[in-house]
Amino acid sequence: MKPPEPRMRCIADIDPHEIERRRDAMRRVWSYRRVDHIPIGVWMDDFSRHTLREQCENGLAQYEANVTSIERCLRCLPDDYIPYARVWPGYMTIGTMFGIPVHWSDDPNQAPGLAFHPVTDMGQVYGLQRPDPLRDGLMPHNLRWIGYFASHLPKEICLAGIDLGGPMNTAKDLLDTNLLYTAFYDGPEEFHHLLGLAADVQTGCYDAIIHAAGGMDRLASIDFDPLWAPEGCRGFVSDDVCASFGPEMFREFSMPYHNRIFSRFGGGRIHNCGPHPSRDLYPEHDPPVRGLNCAFRYTRAELPAMRESFRGKNIVIELNFDFGETFDEIVRGYEEAAEALAPDVAAIPFAFLNDTWEDDAVSGLYEALRTISERYAASMNWRNG
């Protein structure tokens, strides 16, 4: 079945009833209730006028790029798209709150990082002071622009939170690289202290983000993910570091601090690009994780195993095509994922596109993915209703 023609072609055309219909489709998928197709996600960037560095440092430039991307998606996508805007200063906000300078390379379109790792001995973690989200590092900049976006865009446009990583990611930023891995064995007490501090800082940042946005209802998720999550499922934590250690360490050093965040904001999504040595433990979070945000490139080999790990656990996989995949690679990748996961696990494809994609290519990609998602949905073991 050919998707319907777009009815919303610019922000002024946004229909609140149509947006709510699309949100309800997402609610149904997250609840494993029958749908005629699994929604298609598109992440649109625009660097035609401003580089990544200019957008990170200039909130107004980032706002303009968001508006351009929203209107392109409204114009090109006939269904599923729930418009969003996001403030993205880089991956390293919490590091800057501890006083670490931002590092930019000579390439203005390369993501920024941190200038150094300040902790070279685990005993130093006890001297770290808890920073204030309203005063320290990049957080005041982030909050100012979240507030600006919230006040200048219609309420039907949801906002993503700030890319804060997770407690283990913060440890990666603060600790010397070798120390990060030896601390599991040589300084577990100090490591737990640091992870607890990081979780508390992150929780305070999320509270400030929610306030700046005007409430949880305005957010797609509390962190960077702009794909709209249902009510009660907007908690989020990243743990890319867990790709490099096993389940025993994940259970002791990652899960307790994930749970601290999920218990406050809802059992939403966990992000790990992949691989996933602890995938069997993802469903054991308390409250339960409801979604996995991951990269197709680093997850594809594990999709059949994920079907076994996630069967009956009501976990939706958000499969990011975020490494510059071509049209054909995205379509073949999603077809491969559907074949590996059906009929037990639902996966939403999330295609990362930019201003080099022509409108016809964006629309054509949606149509191709929609065809796969209709077959995928028809093969799923949905709950009744």
Side-chain angles (χ1 to χ4, degrees), residues 6 41 54 92 96 120 133 140 163 167 179 197 202 210 215 233 245 255 267 272 322 345 364 372 383:
E54 288 169 339
M92 63 302 153
T96 70
T120 57
D163 191 349
L179 189 61
L197 173 62
Q202 193 158 340
I210 292 167
C233 302
F245 54 77
M255 289 181 68
N272 171 25
D322 55 348
V345 178
I372 297 166
R383 293 176 175 177

Side-chain angles (χ1 to χ4, degrees), residues 358-379:
E358 299 290 340
D359 285 1
D360 287 347
V362 176
S363 299
L365 178 66
Y366 175 86
E367 291 187 17
L369 294 175
R370 170 79 176 242
T371 298
I372 297 166
S373 87
E374 288 174 357
R375 295 198 304 265
Y376 189 1
S379 72

Side-chain angles (χ1 to χ4, degrees), residues 11-297:
I11 289 175
D13 289 342
I14 289 177
D15 178 353
H17 299 291
E18 174 62 15
I19 298 302
E20 183 59 25
R21 184 192 68 79
R22 296 178 185 186
R23 289 180 174 181
D24 194 55
M26 193 70 85
R27 293 183 186 104
R28 293 183 68 85
V29 170
W30 278 61
S31 298
Y32 274 75
R33 296 163 61 201
R34 187 175 301 280
V35 290
D36 64 354
H37 74 283
I38 294 171
I40 309 301
V42 171
W43 175 313
M44 184 70 70
D45 281 319
D46 187 278
F47 302 113
S48 60
R49 288 179 294 175
H50 301 284
T51 65
L52 177 63
R53 179 166 186 173
E54 288 169 339
Q55 291 184 32
C56 287
E57 295 181 337
N58 182 334
L60 189 57
Q62 192 161 148
Y63 175 82
E64 291 170 354
N66 270 272
V67 168
T68 298
S69 295
I70 291 167
E71 298 212 319
R72 280 200 77 203
C73 287
L74 289 171
R75 186 169 68 244
C76 295
L77 305 176
D79 197 358
D80 299 331
Y81 176 64
I82 298 169
Y84 64 82
R86 62 191 293 265
V87 175
W88 195 79
Y91 302 101
M92 63 302 153
T93 285
I94 290 183
T96 70
M97 295 172 69
F98 283 96
I100 312 173
V102 176
H103 170 74
W104 285 95
S105 74
D106 293 334
D107 181 355
N109 282 313
Q110 183 177 12
L114 293 168
F116 58 85
H117 305 290
V119 177
T120 57
D121 180 281
M122 288 305 292
Q124 294 174 274
V125 302
Y126 295 112
L128 294 172
Q129 299 300 308
R130 178 173 174 173
D132 184 342
L134 302 182
R135 292 200 313 260
D136 294 324
L138 285 171
M139 271 304 293
H141 169 91
N142 298 339
L143 297 174
R144 174 191 172 196
W145 287 103
I146 288 175
Y148 184 93
F149 281 35
S151 63
H152 284 75
L153 293 169
K155 61 182 176 57
E156 290 77 20
I157 297 177
C158 59
L159 305 177
I162 300 300
D163 191 349
L164 296 182
M168 188 62 72
N169 286 29
T170 296
K172 170 186 66 65
D173 287 341
L174 296 180
L175 299 181
D176 173 78
T177 302
N178 291 332
L179 189 61
L180 174 69
Y181 291 100
T182 60
F184 289 118
Y185 307 97
D186 298 338
E189 181 177 328
E190 294 90 342
F191 207 172
H192 280 295
H193 173 84
L194 175 60
L195 292 168
L197 173 62
D200 289 345
V201 171
Q202 193 158 340
T203 298
C205 289
Y206 288 143
D207 284 334
I209 288 165
I210 292 167
H211 179 76
M216 183 71 90
D217 287 346
R218 189 67 192 270
L219 293 173
S221 74
I222 60 171
D223 207 272
F224 76 85
D225 195 338
L227 197 66
W228 188 84
E231 297 81 357
C233 302
R234 292 181 188 145
F236 196 99
V237 65
S238 294
D239 193 345
D240 293 288
V241 185
C242 79
S244 61
F245 54 77
E248 181 180 346
M249 295 301 182
F250 184 79
R251 187 184 292 278
E252 179 178 352
F253 290 96
S254 287
M255 289 181 68
Y257 305 102
H258 298 171
N259 289 341
R260 191 179 299 188
I261 293 170
F262 288 135
S263 65
R264 180 72 171 274
F265 301 106
R269 286 169 282 204
I270 183 171
H271 166 81
N272 171 25
C273 286
H276 304 270
S278 299
R279 62 178 176 267
D280 289 342
L281 294 179
Y282 292 169
E284 294 189 18
H285 282 82
D286 182 21
V289 166
R290 298 293 309 282
L292 168 65
N293 176 288
C294 59
F296 174 75
R297 172 180 287 192

